[in-house]
Amino acid sequence: MKSQFEVYLRLKPSNNQSQNAMQYQLYHNKRLQVLLPRHVKFGLVNNSRDNLEFNFTHVFDQKSTQEQVFSTVTIPVINSFLDGYNATIFAYGQTGSGKTYTMSGAETWQLRGVIPRALSYIFDEIDKRTKFQYKIYISFMEIYNENAYDLLEKRHLETPLEQWNKIALYEDDQNNIHLKNLSIHQCNNEQEGIDLLMMGNFIRQVSSTPMNQSSSRSHCIFTVTLEGCDTTSETCFVSKLHLVDLAGSERISKSQVEGNLLNEAKYINLSLTYLEQVIIALNERMKGANRQHIPYRNSLMTTLLKDSLGGNCKTVMISTISSENDNIEETLSTLRFSQRVGQLENEIRRNEKVDLEAVVKRLEQEKLVLIRELEQFQRGGNVNSNNKKLQTQQQMLPLSNGPPLNPKEISEKVELYLNERISQLDIKSVEEAQLCFEAMKDLYNTRMKEYVHELTFISEKLQKYDELLTRKKEQSSFLEQKENSSPEVEVYRRNESPQINLKKKPNQ
Ligand code: ADP
Ligand code: MG
């Protein structure tokens, strides 16, 4: 299924009503026309234009609320995530334009942003979807100077950034990316999710010294992983939702920085430049150019978001811009970048998988029951477990209600007798006895055939799934070995919280 990238624009409210405000027109909340100030107009190659136009899925004007942004942008994305599709929402824009405000929100609960609202929505929805059993995991990382760090590692509260373990990446034979040193936290309700978000944001804040002010110079990726299992069949799926707050997109020439800060700025600008290169390459490929190579690997952020950018993922971008003319160059650069992103599309599919372990377990049980029934049947006992609950009628049932004898009627009564629904058959003649034996023989043969047929079917299925399961186990132990053999990094951890049924919120 094709999924076009959606690009939304959000204008930050203007600080003042002075002449400094950007001049623009908004048409149907979809098209933004920016009137170019003189100095920009004369900088253009073709300076005959005095305005530029940009199209969006939707434009949120300066008065838009957090709730409006959430319901328009996020709800459709999360619904598709809950259905088993990967999804990414990322915020792009210059520092101070409202990325963090949009994604995390401001201090008050009312002004909370996309991430906390997404958590509430996810937990509410999975409570409603009773046909599925869900498990939710959260991880939160920061990419800073081309290094990635776990924001949910409590030890980071006491140690400076320089001593943190870096997250390491490696790719397996199937080009899947695996991460080490990133903790994954099972999360049983909205509050636990919010606590993790707050802890991550806190760790991010304490790690940023006035020197590095990491908040504007780092990318943050909050990832929700959903495991859903259909309780009526054995189909399960795993989907991932990345909520990304990118570093400020301002160009290096504008930020007059030196020394360490210059280094940082280079890194940040580089990773956003690489992001742009990936988008350009994807655009060219979409337009039919022969572009096999997409330069994801040039930066950590593009490697990590490889799927979001050109793979199996529904991707949405929220571009944030300032409404002041002082920032017009950065604003135009954000708007141009958004237009390129808006042309992309991804091929998405549901990440469905069969829970082999559960199927094998069920089939083994079914097979055992069948074998037991077959043995019992061969010994002549009653095997119809469904009928056990039914009361046997302690009565003699006349085989026929007088001539002519009806073989079908006799067969039905014999079946009742075999199933112990009646205790005796009242046989009045040799002819009746013969018909009875015939009916018994037929029933026996048919039932034997049915059992054998069912057993063969289940055995074949079992063998197939057993093989698949063994192969799957071999693969995962191979990956584990690979993880353990890597000397430079710690083994990737899953926190050991017990698996609690998400349907029961502990705090309610
Ligand atoms: P960024 O993350 O892009 O650097 P922030 O989200 O930190 O920018 O926003 C900078 C400041 O502007 C913050 O104080 C934030 O609360 C405020 N702000 C941003 N966008 C909005 C908005 N849409 N409405 C009200 N205040 C906003
Ligand atoms: Mg920010």
Side-chain angles (χ1 to χ4, degrees):
M1 182 164 71
K2 289 253 182 283
S3 167
Q4 176 95 27
F5 279 41
E6 282 171 6
V7 181
Y8 294 85
L9 181 69
R10 185 175 199 185
L11 283 112
K12 186 185 158 183
S14 184
N15 288 333
N16 49 52
Q17 300 300 319
S18 73
Q19 298 164 336
N20 236 348
M22 182 175 81
Q23 302 295 304
Y24 65 90
Q25 286 285 335
L26 192 54
Y27 300 98
H28 308 292
N29 280 325
K30 282 189 186 304
R31 189 153 52 95
L32 180 84
Q33 187 184 63
V34 180
L35 302 174
L36 301 172
R38 277 174 69 86
H39 73 280
V40 175
K41 182 173 176 265
F42 288 112
L44 291 178
V45 181
N46 172 3
N47 62 11
S48 58
R49 299 200 61 169
D50 56 9
N51 69 64
L52 290 174
E53 282 188 5
F54 304 90
N55 292 301
F56 290 88
T57 307
H58 186 96
V59 179
F60 296 100
D61 66 17
Q62 300 187 31
K63 289 194 243 45
S64 66
T65 63
Q66 298 285 65
E67 170 56 34
Q68 280 165 345
V69 173
F70 176 73
S71 51
T72 314
V73 181
T74 323
I75 289 183
V77 178
I78 297 185
N79 282 340
S80 128
F81 160 70
L82 290 169
D83 289 339
Y85 295 91
N86 292 338
T88 299
I89 301 177
F90 62 94
Y92 180 96
Q94 75 174 115
T95 298
S97 59
K99 295 180 297 298
T100 305
Y101 180 84
T102 300
M103 296 308 285
S104 293
E107 301 294 304
T108 65
W109 182 243
Q110 206 198 355
L111 294 179
R112 69 201 185 280
V114 161
I115 304 177
R117 283 171 201 266
L119 288 170
S120 318
Y121 185 79
I122 290 169
F123 282 102
D124 279 353
E125 274 302 299
I126 61 175
D127 264 1
K128 287 185 210 152
R129 301 183 181 206
T130 48
K131 208 179 135 214
F132 280 84
Q133 192 96 39
Y134 291 103
K135 279 186 208 141
I136 288 196
Y137 301 93
I138 283 176
S139 55
F140 196 9
M141 71 165 102
E142 176 174 38
I143 305 175
Y144 176 65
N145 282 6
E146 272 308 279
N147 294 316
Y149 302 97
D150 186 356
L151 285 177
L152 297 180
E153 171 55 68
K154 283 205 183 93
R155 271 181 304 164
H156 290 169
L157 283 167
E158 290 132 31
T159 45
L161 185 78
E162 297 74 44
Q163 288 170 24
W164 292 8
N165 282 328
K166 291 171 188 162
I167 294 170
L169 267 84
Y170 70 86
E171 236 173 301
D172 67 17
D173 308 339
Q174 276 119 41
N175 295 336
N176 298 313
I177 291 165
H178 299 267
L179 303 177
K180 288 179 202 168
N181 283 335
L182 178 68
S183 57
I184 298 182
H185 301 255
Q186 192 176 359
C187 194
N188 302 299
N189 53 53
E190 177 192 348
Q191 193 52 51
E192 284 181 22
I194 305 259
D195 288 349
L196 289 170
L197 172 67
M198 278 165 54
M199 176 166 109
N201 280 335
F202 186 67
I203 289 181
R204 190 184 182 197
Q205 271 163 25
V206 293
S207 76
S208 70
T209 61
M211 261 282 279
N212 64 37
Q213 288 174 1
S214 76
S215 75
S216 68
R217 299 190 160 93
S218 65
H219 312 291
C220 268
I221 309 181
F222 187 89
T223 304
V224 187
T225 305
L226 177 74
E227 276 178 25
C229 278
D230 189 331
T231 46
T232 53
S233 65
E234 279 92 3
T235 48
C236 294
F237 64 81
V238 178
S239 52
K240 270 185 199 295
L241 171 69
H242 293 306
L243 301 165
V244 187
D245 185 351
L246 290 174
S249 62
E250 54 276 7
R251 308 288 122 163
I252 190 165
S253 55
K254 237 203 154 187
S255 39
Q256 291 162 351
V257 288
E258 290 170 1
N260 265 357
L261 284 181
L262 180 66
N263 255 345
E264 284 171 9
K266 270 187 195 155
Y267 273 125
I268 292 137
N269 274 285
L270 267 182
S271 66
L272 286 169
T273 305
Y274 290 135
L275 174 67
E276 239 177 303
Q277 287 178 2
V278 166
I279 303 285
I280 291 170
L282 287 166
N283 258 320
E284 285 176 2
R285 188 164 74 181
M286 258 195 52
K287 286 177 187 147
N290 185 21
R291 273 209 83 135
Q292 296 303 326
H293 178 69
I294 308 291
Y296 293 111
R297 280 163 165 273
N298 283 349
S299 85
L300 201 56
M301 188 254 293
T302 48
T303 312
L304 281 166
L305 295 179
K306 184 176 159 198
D307 248 358
S308 313
L309 299 170
N312 174 24
C313 188
K314 184 178 172 67
T315 302
V316 168
M317 179 164 97
I318 307 175
S319 297
T320 53
I321 56 168
S322 137
S323 307
E324 317 293 337
N325 257 343
D326 295 349
N327 295 312
I328 190 76
E329 271 116 349
E330 290 306 338
T331 296
L332 290 175
S333 138
T334 300
L335 292 168
R336 286 196 193 99
F337 179 72
S338 310
Q339 299 303 284
R340 276 205 288 272
V341 173
Q343 287 164 16
L344 297 178
E345 59 184 25
N346 270 348
E347 181 69 36
I348 60 168
R349 63 191 173 275
R350 195 163 181 262
N351 301 314
E352 207 168 86
K353 60 167 192 180
V354 173
D355 185 351
L356 285 172
E357 224 146 323
V359 181
V360 167
K361 225 186 236 168
R362 182 179 58 78
L363 287 176
E364 266 164 2
Q365 266 167 2
E366 267 178 43
K367 191 176 158 180
L368 270 181
V369 171
L370 274 172
I371 290 174
R372 221 177 298 134
E373 288 190 357
L374 187 65
E375 282 169 0
Q376 237 175 318
F377 191 67
Q378 278 167 332
R379 274 189 257 115
N382 169 44
V383 290
N384 199 333
S385 51
N386 290 340
N387 289 337
K388 271 180 191 148
K389 287 183 215 101
L390 298 171
Q391 265 226 304
T392 306
Q393 294 176 14
Q394 293 297 331
Q395 67 176 78
M396 293 244 277
L397 200 67
L399 208 52
S400 65
N401 304 321
L405 285 173
N406 177 353
K408 192 169 167 265
E409 205 180 322
I410 290 180
S411 167
E412 276 166 13
K413 282 174 184 161
V414 167
E415 192 166 11
L416 285 176
Y417 172 74
L418 284 178
N419 289 339
E420 291 182 26
R421 298 279 307 281
I422 51 173
S423 60
Q424 282 181 36
L425 286 170
D426 184 18
I427 298 171
K428 294 205 177 73
S429 67
V430 178
E431 209 181 338
E432 276 189 0
Q434 259 170 356
L435 278 171
C436 262
F437 286 127
E438 279 300 312
M440 276 185 198
K441 200 172 81 190
D442 283 351
L443 275 169
Y444 179 83
N445 283 340
T446 321
R447 203 170 285 179
M448 278 290 272
K449 257 191 228 150
E450 276 170 15
Y451 275 122
V452 172
H453 185 261
E454 213 168 319
L455 263 173
T456 320
F457 177 71
I458 287 189
S459 297
E460 278 169 3
K461 234 173 157 186
L462 246 176
Q463 198 183 345
K464 195 177 107 200
Y465 285 132
D466 236 355
E467 279 167 17
L468 279 172
L469 194 68
T470 317
R471 223 178 308 150
K472 205 176 108 182
K473 279 182 181 158
E474 277 167 8
Q475 266 176 7
S476 57
S477 77
F478 166 73
L479 284 177
E480 244 161 52
Q481 270 172 20
K482 236 176 154 178
E483 277 176 351
N484 290 330
S485 65
S486 179
E488 81 279 22
V489 281
E490 265 179 31
V491 179
Y492 164 72
R493 285 159 289 113
R494 238 170 216 270
N495 79 328
E496 278 146 16
S497 65
Q499 295 182 359
I500 298 168
N501 185 355
L502 292 171
K503 304 266 151 25
K504 293 178 199 116
K505 288 187 176 180
N507 61 347
Q508 282 182 358

